[in-house]
Amino acid sequence: MDETDIDVIDTAVIGAGLAGLLAAITAARTPGAGRVVLFDPHPLGGRARCDERDGFVFNRGPRALYVGGVADQTLTSLGIDLTRGGPPNLAGAGAVDGGTIHVMPQGPGTALRTSLMSAGEKFAFAKAFTRIPRIDPATVVGRTVSEWLDDIGMAGAPRRMMEALIRVATYTNAPDLLDAGAALANAQAGMSPGVRYLDGGWQTLVDALASMAWDAGVERREEPVEGIGRHPDHPRLLALATPGGATARTAVLAVGGPDAAAAVLGDRPPAWSVLGPPVTVACLELGLIQPPARRFILGIDEPTYLSTHAPPARLAPDGQAVVHLMRYQAPGEELSAAQQRSGLDRLAAQAGITPDLVARERFLARMVVSGGLPTAAGGGLAGRPSVEVDGHPGVFVAGDWVGPEGLLFDAVAASAAAAGRQAARRSATMAVA
Ligand SMILES: Cc1cc2nc3c(=O)[nH]c(=O)nc-3n(C[C@H](O)[C@H](O)[C@H](O)COP(=O)(O)OP(=O)(O)OC[C@H]3O[C@@H](n4cnc5c(N)ncnc54)[C@H](O)[C@@H]3O)c2cc1C
């Protein structure tokens, strides 16, 4: 059979989360792209989907967009309006340590007022905190967060506060593994220009990207791709194991993490072994009839977080509120779901949330925030797997565990654009060859 007799997809994008949607749009908009088909048996959006409960929009755990990051730049350049919503309200923010709520140090002023630290510790913290924006993250790549905090002489309460700030900025509770360069870059971005919570939640991003993908001519097939191999008669082409069968010139695997990608590939490229374990969290989502007395609390001796996302974002009926609580899980941590839940219930009570204020709630015991954390031993962000896959010509990967740029959605946006572009260019070259 001649290659021209086969129904060939130019670029198959597997997985329709944020990475797959962005990769498909980029591929379809690349000159000479041809047919781009997006495969996913589930509703669009993956982990960025939202669920509505009685007018409360739950983002499946807290979602904050890093202002000025790769994702913000990418979505803005696509014409998506990210201005509706707002930054977290940190007025009166608390830091809970040993069961007591203290003023959360956010700068020299609050550091002076807090009872979290002794007078000497306040000075050490204020000095380190004001230095952070000026440190070049490249200079600490290859050091773990713990080693870096040792290097700069952080100890006691200031150190625990720094570790808490790094957890918020990276969602990661693994100071002995996480690369300090990756952590510092996100901590700097979190301090300034900061983050935004979006009106309507991240579902608005999914919806906007989906309509752009269809406008660009992307086709959708609601099917899983269970394997990728070479086509038996045309080894230049890829055979996709789908219920309907499919042949493609190139493929972008945007299936959410390295384990899922390895399952489709049928092997795990050795270069992926630099990745650390997945970053996971437990989430408690609360729809409240009014905003809580205290809108933001960070756990210092416990790896916890509480933030009121609505307001500022519109995620609740007028006058009501959505509050997200989270426990950052350490690799190998063995707390039961019930223990984690009761810790988050205690934190909610510390924010003044009494049961009569709760209209809707949802507890998610283990959510995967990122498929694999960038380790110091693995060379930080630069050491993460590249979009090309060794030993699988024509196959590319995208996601929050791929490529040298950013964490979380920023890594998704950067790797999806690179994978989509490279896949489409390669297909275009193959089609004319
Ligand atoms: C609780 C939580 C909080 C977060 N907070 C933030 C935040 O504040 N800021 C930030 O930047 N990021 C945040 N993130 C990270 C961000 O949500 C993710 O990085 C991003 O949504 C991942 O997108 P993805 O497309 O790579 O993967 P996914 O969303 O996991 O999508 C993968 C898709 O692939 C599909 N799929 C899987 N296998 C197959 C197959 N074999 N065939 C076809 N389809 C398949 C799945 O159905 C799914 O739709 C958070 C994540 C979580 C869980």
Side-chain angles (χ1 to χ4, degrees):
M1 200 179 7
D2 190 65
E3 208 178 285
T4 51
D5 298 329
I6 313 173
D7 180 23
V8 178
I9 296 166
D10 291 280
T11 300
V13 178
I14 302 159
L18 292 172
L21 287 165
L22 280 166
I25 293 168
T26 311
R29 290 183 172 191
T30 301
R35 271 182 79 201
V36 178
V37 180
L38 185 57
F39 290 86
D40 198 321
H42 296 117
L44 300 170
R47 281 173 278 160
R49 266 164 37 215
C50 297
D51 302 298
E52 210 204 295
R53 303 271 189 274
D54 297 339
F56 295 102
V57 177
F58 289 152
N59 256 317
R60 300 180 175 220
R63 289 296 188 291
L65 185 81
Y66 279 81
V67 177
V70 190
D72 181 1
Q73 289 174 35
T74 307
L75 298 174
T76 302
S77 72
L78 288 170
I80 297 177
D81 180 11
L82 301 168
T83 57
R84 285 173 302 142
N89 180 351
L90 297 179
V96 64
D97 198 30
T100 305
I101 300 196
H102 308 267
V103 168
M104 184 178 94
Q106 308 170 44
T110 39
L112 269 181
R113 283 194 285 121
T114 189
S115 49
L116 180 67
M117 300 169 190
S118 68
E121 286 180 330
K122 290 178 185 185
F123 179 71
F125 177 80
K127 195 168 144 216
F129 193 79
T130 43
R131 266 189 57 210
I132 282 183
R134 298 197 299 272
I135 306 172
D136 177 358
T139 60
V140 296
V141 169
R143 305 289 287 161
T144 64
V145 166
S146 297
E147 287 167 345
W148 170 56
L149 292 175
D150 287 345
D151 294 345
I152 61 171
M154 296 296 287
R159 182 183 182 115
R160 286 183 287 126
M161 184 65 218
M162 283 292 189
E163 286 173 346
L165 291 174
I166 287 169
R167 283 195 294 269
V168 180
T170 63
Y171 281 79
T172 309
N173 179 13
D176 295 336
L177 289 174
L178 179 65
D179 179 67
L184 180 59
N186 258 48
Q188 289 173 338
M191 287 163 75
S192 175
V195 298
R196 290 181 77 76
Y197 302 153
L198 303 182
D199 283 359
W202 282 23
Q203 186 69 46
T204 60
L205 307 180
V206 173
D207 295 344
L209 291 173
S211 98
M212 258 172 226
W214 317 143
D215 286 349
V218 174
E219 297 165 42
R220 180 172 181 207
R221 268 168 70 170
E222 289 177 47
E223 294 175 26
V225 174
E226 263 135 27
I228 296 186
R230 307 315 303 178
H231 190 283
D233 303 321
H234 302 286
R236 284 176 2 126
L237 301 178
L238 303 169
L240 309 186
T242 69
T247 304
R249 293 188 209 286
T250 60
V252 176
L253 268 175
V255 288
D259 293 343
V264 178
L265 282 175
D267 78 87
R268 195 183 182 96
W272 296 3
S273 62
V274 292
L275 283 171
V279 174
T280 63
V281 292
C283 302
L284 178 61
E285 304 174 297
L286 300 178
L288 304 183
I289 58 171
Q290 66 186 55
R294 205 182 275 270
R295 302 206 176 187
F296 190 96
I297 305 180
L298 208 50
I300 304 302
D301 55 348
E302 286 285 323
T304 52
Y305 156 104
L306 176 151
S307 179
T308 307
H309 283 231
R314 286 189 65 84
L315 299 162
D318 283 347
Q320 305 195 32
V322 169
V323 172
H324 283 281
L325 295 95
M326 188 162 56
R327 180 183 174 86
Y328 304 94
Q329 294 167 337
E333 179 174 284
E334 281 179 5
L335 275 189
S336 70
Q339 285 170 314
Q340 300 191 56
R341 168 77 206 244
S342 67
L344 294 179
D345 285 340
R346 270 198 306 280
L347 185 61
Q350 282 167 316
I353 300 172
T354 46
D356 55 310
L357 296 183
V358 181
R360 291 300 303 227
E361 63 174 48
R362 179 168 68 175
F363 178 62
L364 304 164
R366 186 179 183 273
M367 294 291 288
V368 176
V369 176
S370 156
L373 66 90
T375 58
L381 298 179
R384 277 195 312 214
S386 67
V387 295
E388 298 95 353
V389 183
D390 278 350
H392 296 270
V395 181
F396 301 84
V397 284
D400 47 34
W401 53 283
V402 179
E405 266 185 274
L407 292 177
L408 312 166
F409 188 15
D410 287 329
V412 165
S415 60
R421 194 178 316 110
Q422 289 188 40
R425 284 188 183 152
R426 185 181 162 99
S427 313
T429 317
M430 286 170 77
V432 294

